[in-house]
Amino acid sequence: MFKRIIKFLSSVGFSIYLTSTVLHAEIVNQIEVNGNDRVSNESILMFSKIQIGDDLNQIKINNALKNIYESNFFSDVKIKLKANKLSIFVVENPVIENIEYQGIKSKTLIENLTKNLKLKSRSSYDVSILNNDVKQINFLLKELGYYFSKVEVNKIDLSDNRLKLIYNIELGEKAKIKKIIFLGDKKFKDSKLKSLITSEEYKFWKFISGKKYLNENLINFDKRLLKNFYLNKGYYDVKINSSFAKLINNDEFELVFNINANKKFFFDNLSIVLPDDFEPNNFNDLKIIFDELKDKPYSINSVEQIINEIDKISINEQFESVKASVSENIIDNKINLIFKIEETEKFFVEKINIYGNNITRESVIRNKFLVDEGDPYNEILANRTVNEIKSLNFFRDVEFNVINGDKPNSKIINISVIEKPTGEIMAGAGFGTDGEVLEIGVRENNYLGKGLSIDTNLLVSSDKISGQFNIINPNYNNSDKTLTFGVQALESDKLSDFGYKSNKIGSLIGTNFEYLEDFKFGLEASSFLEKIETNSTASARQKTQEGNYFDTYVNLDFDYDKRNQKFQTSDGFRSFYSIDVPLVSETNTLVNYYNYKIYSELYENNISSLSISLSAANSLTGDDIKLSERLYIPQKKLRGFVRGKVGPKDGTDYIGGNYYTTVNLNTSLPQVFPNLQNLDVGAFFDIANLWGVDDATLNDSNELRSSVGIGVDWFTPVGPLSFTFAQPITKGSTDSTETFRFNLGTTF
């Protein structure tokens, strides 16, 4: 009882004190500022937000004190109010005369580390800001792989309340990823999981790749990639329990991912709840999708597809102020989903602010907006806008915040982005049955902050050298159409095998865009100068084609893509048709190409595909088409036969055909060698035919070729190694066969 009385009296006393503090106020008749040298009286009063004539109490004085401190110009501030006179006493922070960065020779590295620091030359010194800047430098160094770096700051006092800052940065050795390990109930082989992530193990020849160094952001990205993969395979309750780096040598780490896939989940009942004034018939297509997904493995891509369909219907029906949500009800391993559309209070977008884009131009970001200033605020479009900005892949993070506007029934949208490097350097080499290949490329995805892509590539193989330089504008003139301009050079040396050599150089310009949902249309015009040479081994017919050519073509692409995902596809299909129409040409060759490929998962962890390809090359004016325009069956579509040595022949030379068709059946065999983590096995059945010649005196070789075999992919320490064991079943009389092929590739 006694304690309750004491507590009550204390509360009353505190309330009386607080009330008296608030009620005791004075009107300011005079303001005096002391201690300032650089910062003017007017600026200090502006910071304090106090004016003569204000009625001040202790709370307002404390707020003024806080406001002045937050300007970061002062190390000490005192405020007194006596006899209607307000006295402000300040001690100014020193001015930073100069900042030096020692220990790093690379100017580019210094610029990257310091461009977003708060303290600059001629700014006021503040200890808390300095500490944050040091943390920022350490964070960026770890991003670049310098986990053993040290950053120290020396402060040198100068005259007139000035100082000099010296950052002493010791980079140390970069932290290398010696080994990547996957632990736990992971369900899938290490080779599969390694193919999903971006981090890679350190090898001495990987002198270009930066992915071999420990990078916290990259590791977090890898965790998201792994989780999305499992979510799309039905493992709804997957846990990437931890990812940690274990130091095993002075500068080498083991990167460990601990994965618990848990049990597999399946879709059960899916339904949608609509507002009363919505027409249910508009959502009939969704019900078809719901029926198709019932009893199928859970997939986050399928859920996203449903939400996108809901968004599209809602927007098309001009339901401006709506939001969509999904709730889940889980029974055993069955997931019931209820999609709910709700009408919201109507607001208008007053303003959209963008922060953090130091390199990327604001117009590039705004081009991705699906909601703009003056539009009715729509949560669906707002969320899609964020996703569109993220899809640029220019930013490490995108934050979206909506606050009430200054006007009634209005919203202000604040978008904050953190930029990341957008350049890429790639180099790779391969060695196999067909000889050696070396490839190097440089790409910048956000050139000058304009959202332009610059792509250069050079490939050298045993019989081919090709190089290209392309400039790509993914949103030309705000039209959502991609515009590409490029120059290319190609040398194809087939003198030893086929008696001829071709050199081509030219340029192209083209566009592609989504014409309908999942259907893209491409249009391209190209012009090339070509020189064909032959040697003494060439036939008389081939020698007649020796000379110089100039060709201008228009290419049209029709791409209908219904795959569940472009990488590691496991379901859906893709139908692609392309036609090259000659505008200026000596041979006037018309080329048609069609490919259809369907994917399916026949059983647990299996991926099977069926592909059909057709191609034809004929002269519209009845001429003999050029040697470089003749068709050859791609090696991957007819295994068991020597590349390029199938079909019509002129003497001893294989000259290609006017037509080819292929049928390919592939299936993975996860039950073979299930405990070998870096080995994958598959089976295939290939059928193909290559026929047709312009000269009726030659055999057109119209015969069916087929083969069956086994393919092995082995993830070795030096790179992926693939073997193919094939047995031809049927063949042409002049075809060259082979039962074994291999290829070893790696990146630098």
Side-chain angles (χ1 to χ4, degrees):
M1 182 68 179
F2 179 73
K3 290 182 178 179
R4 290 184 179 179
I5 295 173
I6 294 297
K7 187 176 181 181
F8 173 74
L9 293 175
S10 298
S11 300
V12 172
F14 179 76
S15 299
I16 294 172
Y17 168 76
L18 184 63
T19 304
S20 63
T21 301
V22 174
L23 293 177
H24 179 70
E26 291 186 42
I27 295 176
V28 179
N29 294 328
Q30 183 181 356
I31 299 177
E32 180 181 73
V33 180
N34 297 295
N36 56 316
D37 182 24
R38 291 180 295 106
V39 185
S40 66
N41 292 354
E42 291 78 10
S43 296
I44 295 173
L45 291 179
M46 180 187 68
F47 297 144
S48 71
K49 298 182 181 180
I50 294 176
Q51 297 178 352
I52 291 178
D54 287 351
D55 192 4
L56 294 186
N57 54 32
Q58 191 60 44
I59 293 177
K60 293 181 179 179
I61 291 174
N62 290 339
N63 288 335
L65 190 70
K66 177 184 175 183
N67 293 336
I68 297 174
Y69 264 119
E70 288 180 346
S71 69
N72 296 321
F73 285 112
F74 310 103
S75 60
D76 191 21
V77 181
K78 295 178 182 177
I79 300 179
K80 292 183 180 179
L81 178 61
K82 186 176 181 181
N84 302 104
K85 179 181 178 181
L86 183 73
S87 299
I88 302 175
F89 303 91
V90 297
V91 177
E92 293 180 334
N93 280 324
V95 173
I96 300 173
E97 182 69 20
N98 189 30
I99 300 178
E100 291 184 6
Y101 300 93
Q102 298 182 356
I104 301 178
K105 296 181 180 179
S106 170
K107 292 182 179 180
T108 302
L109 179 55
I110 291 176
E111 289 176 0
N112 290 333
L113 292 176
T114 61
K115 63 183 178 182
N116 292 322
L117 299 184
K118 301 298 183 184
L119 291 183
K120 308 283 186 183
S121 295
R122 309 308 301 168
S123 67
S124 292
Y125 172 77
D126 185 279
V127 176
S128 61
I129 296 178
L130 175 64
N131 291 335
N132 288 333
D133 282 353
V134 171
K135 289 180 181 178
Q136 174 75 359
I137 292 175
N138 279 313
F139 173 78
L140 293 173
L141 287 172
K142 285 186 177 181
E143 270 198 336
L144 296 171
Y146 295 103
Y147 267 70
F148 307 102
S149 62
K150 296 179 181 178
V151 181
E152 295 180 352
V153 183
N154 294 332
K155 180 167 69 77
I156 301 175
D157 292 321
L158 305 175
S159 59
D160 299 327
N161 202 25
R162 297 175 299 120
L163 58 82
K164 179 179 180 180
L165 291 181
I166 300 177
Y167 287 84
N168 293 305
I169 303 174
E170 183 181 337
L171 291 177
E173 292 294 326
K174 278 193 171 185
K176 306 180 184 72
I177 302 174
K178 181 66 175 179
K179 193 173 184 180
I180 299 175
I181 300 173
F182 299 93
L183 301 177
D185 180 24
K186 57 185 190 291
K187 305 293 186 186
F188 299 94
K189 290 186 176 183
D190 288 0
S191 57
K192 179 72 171 180
L193 300 178
K194 283 182 181 179
S195 71
L196 297 171
I197 64 176
T198 53
S199 298
E200 58 187 25
E201 294 172 345
Y202 176 85
K203 306 297 177 186
F204 72 90
W205 61 84
K206 291 182 177 291
F207 49 85
I208 291 180
S209 173
K211 299 172 184 177
K212 61 185 180 291
Y213 297 115
L214 210 58
N215 183 316
E216 188 173 348
N217 278 335
L218 209 58
I219 293 171
N220 289 331
F221 181 57
D222 289 340
K223 289 173 66 176
R224 292 197 299 272
L225 291 175
L226 289 169
K227 185 163 187 177
N228 285 338
F229 170 74
Y230 278 91
L231 289 174
N232 280 319
K233 289 294 184 179
Y235 297 99
Y236 169 82
D237 201 26
V238 62
K239 297 290 188 297
I240 312 294
N241 292 321
S242 61
S243 63
F244 59 91
K246 177 183 176 183
L247 183 64
I248 55 176
N249 289 316
N250 291 334
D251 61 350
E252 294 180 332
F253 287 81
E254 283 184 350
L255 179 58
V256 182
F257 294 93
N258 198 326
I259 301 171
N260 187 5
N262 291 309
K263 62 183 179 182
K264 203 165 189 176
F265 284 75
F266 298 84
F267 287 117
D268 196 12
N269 296 316
L270 287 78
S271 59
I272 185 168
V273 178
L274 303 173
D276 293 338
D277 57 344
F278 276 38
E279 175 54 54
N281 291 333
N282 292 331
F283 296 83
N284 284 339
D285 289 343
L286 271 179
K287 296 176 182 178
I288 297 174
I289 297 176
F290 291 167
D291 292 338
E292 291 175 348
L293 289 177
K294 187 175 175 62
D295 297 326
K296 285 192 175 182
Y298 174 85
S299 166
I300 192 173
N301 281 351
S302 296
V303 175
E304 187 174 342
Q305 176 192 358
I306 293 171
I307 292 175
N308 288 337
E309 186 70 20
I310 292 173
D311 293 352
K312 183 180 70 174
I313 296 171
S314 300
I315 294 165
N316 289 342
E317 296 300 320
Q318 297 184 342
F319 298 124
E320 295 172 338
S321 301
V322 296
K323 67 176 182 178
S325 60
V326 57
S327 59
E328 300 163 342
N329 180 28
I330 301 174
I331 302 175
D332 293 328
N333 67 334
K334 296 284 189 177
I335 299 179
N336 300 286
L337 297 179
I338 301 174
F339 297 88
K340 187 175 183 180
I341 298 179
E342 300 175 272
E343 291 186 284
T344 60
E345 188 177 353
K346 194 167 186 177
F347 294 94
F348 289 88
V349 179
E350 178 182 322
K351 190 176 182 182
I352 301 178
N353 299 312
I354 302 173
Y355 304 103
N357 55 315
N358 300 310
I359 298 173
T360 307
R361 298 192 179 188
E362 186 167 311
S363 59
V364 174
I365 301 175
R366 288 188 177 272
N367 284 340
K368 290 294 180 180
F369 284 8
L370 299 177
V371 59
D372 212 339
E373 290 159 342
D375 291 347
Y377 177 75
N378 184 300
E379 186 172 318
I380 291 175
L381 290 180
N383 291 332
R384 286 181 61 189
T385 294
V386 175
N387 291 333
E388 287 291 318
I389 295 173
K390 289 180 178 179
S391 70
L392 288 170
N393 202 26
F394 300 162
F395 310 109
R396 185 185 303 117
D397 190 27
V398 178
E399 292 186 359
F400 185 84
N401 185 32
V402 180
I403 61 176
N404 292 327
D406 297 329
K407 301 176 182 177
N409 298 322
S410 67
K411 296 286 186 181
I412 295 176
I413 299 175
N414 294 321
I415 298 174
S416 299
V417 299
I418 300 177
E419 294 180 316
K420 67 178 183 180
T422 54
E424 302 172 31
I425 299 177
M426 182 278 296
F431 173 79
T433 309
D434 287 330
E436 303 79 28
V437 62
L438 176 66
E439 185 175 12
I440 185 168
V442 179
R443 184 182 180 99
E444 169 55 51
N445 297 311
N446 189 19
Y447 181 64
L448 298 178
K450 297 179 179 180
L452 301 177
S453 177
I454 306 294
D455 188 8
T456 62
N457 181 272
L458 175 66
L459 184 145
V460 180
S461 67
S462 56
D463 62 355
K464 183 170 67 174
I465 300 175
S466 66
Q468 60 180 3
F469 174 83
N470 294 320
I471 301 175
I472 305 163
N473 188 337
N475 186 22
Y476 175 70
N477 204 24
N478 301 328
S479 63
D480 288 329
K481 295 178 177 63
T482 298
L483 181 67
T484 302
F485 173 78
V487 292
Q488 296 180 357
L490 171 65
E491 179 182 289
S492 183
D493 188 349
K494 299 181 182 294
L495 289 171
S496 58
D497 290 331
F498 306 116
Y500 76 94
K501 177 180 179 181
S502 168
N503 284 279
K504 295 176 68 174
I505 185 170
S507 62
L508 60 87
I509 186 170
T511 182
N512 70 79
F513 54 92
E514 190 170 41
Y515 184 71
L516 297 171
E517 183 179 5
D518 299 321
F519 177 76
K520 282 190 174 181
F521 172 72
L523 176 64
E524 180 182 279
S526 61
S527 294
F528 284 89
L529 285 169
E530 181 177 11
K531 181 180 181 181
I532 295 179
E533 303 175 54
T534 60
N535 62 14
S536 58
T537 65
S539 68
R541 295 178 186 83
Q542 288 176 292
K543 289 180 179 179
T544 61
Q545 293 199 0
E546 192 169 26
N548 298 318
Y549 298 86
F550 175 75
D551 300 299
T552 297
Y553 278 82
V554 171
N555 170 265
L556 292 89
D557 292 339
F558 305 87
D559 189 1
Y560 187 44
D561 193 346
K562 295 294 289 185
R563 293 174 294 175
N564 63 340
Q565 54 195 29
K566 291 179 174 59
F567 177 67
Q568 306 267 350
T569 305
S570 60
D571 191 36
F573 69 88
R574 185 185 186 188
S575 177
F576 179 81
Y577 173 65
S578 175
I579 181 171
D580 288 343
V581 181
L583 295 182
V584 178
S585 174
E586 290 188 31
T587 58
N588 294 301
T589 303
L590 178 73
V591 181
N592 287 272
Y593 172 77
Y594 177 72
N595 183 73
Y596 177 84
K597 191 170 186 177
I598 187 170
Y599 302 82
S600 181
E601 189 171 352
L602 300 180
Y603 52 90
E604 184 75 17
N605 295 337
N606 165 266
I607 296 178
S608 298
S609 65
L610 174 65
S611 173
I612 300 173
S613 294
L614 305 166
S615 189
N618 288 286
S619 172
L620 296 175
T621 52
D623 296 302
D624 290 352
I625 64 175
K626 287 185 296 183
L627 294 169
S628 58
E629 294 171 339
R630 298 190 64 78
L631 304 177
Y632 293 87
I633 299 175
Q635 172 61 42
K636 62 182 179 180
K637 291 183 178 293
L638 184 59
R639 287 155 284 194
F641 293 79
V642 178
R643 179 175 65 95
K645 295 190 176 182
V646 172
K649 293 182 70 174
D650 185 2
T652 60
D653 294 326
Y654 290 89
I655 60 173
N658 295 94
Y659 312 94
Y660 79 68
T661 180
T662 65
V663 178
N664 304 99
L665 178 62
N666 297 275
T667 185
S668 61
L669 302 173
Q671 68 273 30
V672 179
F673 304 121
N675 296 321
L676 295 180
Q677 295 297 313
N678 292 316
L679 197 70
D680 295 306
V681 180
F684 63 84
F685 177 48
D686 295 340
I687 303 174
N689 191 11
L690 175 68
W691 76 99
V693 288
D694 295 319
D695 190 334
T697 63
L698 298 176
N699 182 4
D700 70 352
S701 188
N702 189 358
E703 299 179 64
L704 195 67
R705 287 91 176 169
S706 62
S707 65
V708 64
I710 297 291
V712 178
D713 293 320
W714 180 20
F715 201 96
T716 72
V718 295
L721 176 61
S722 63
F723 298 93
T724 299
F725 302 90
Q727 177 60 50
I729 302 173
T730 59
K731 69 183 188 70
S733 58
T734 59
D735 296 341
S736 297
T737 61
E738 62 181 10
T739 57
F740 173 76
R741 292 186 66 84
F742 80 95
N743 186 69
L744 174 65
T746 189
T747 59
F748 297 109

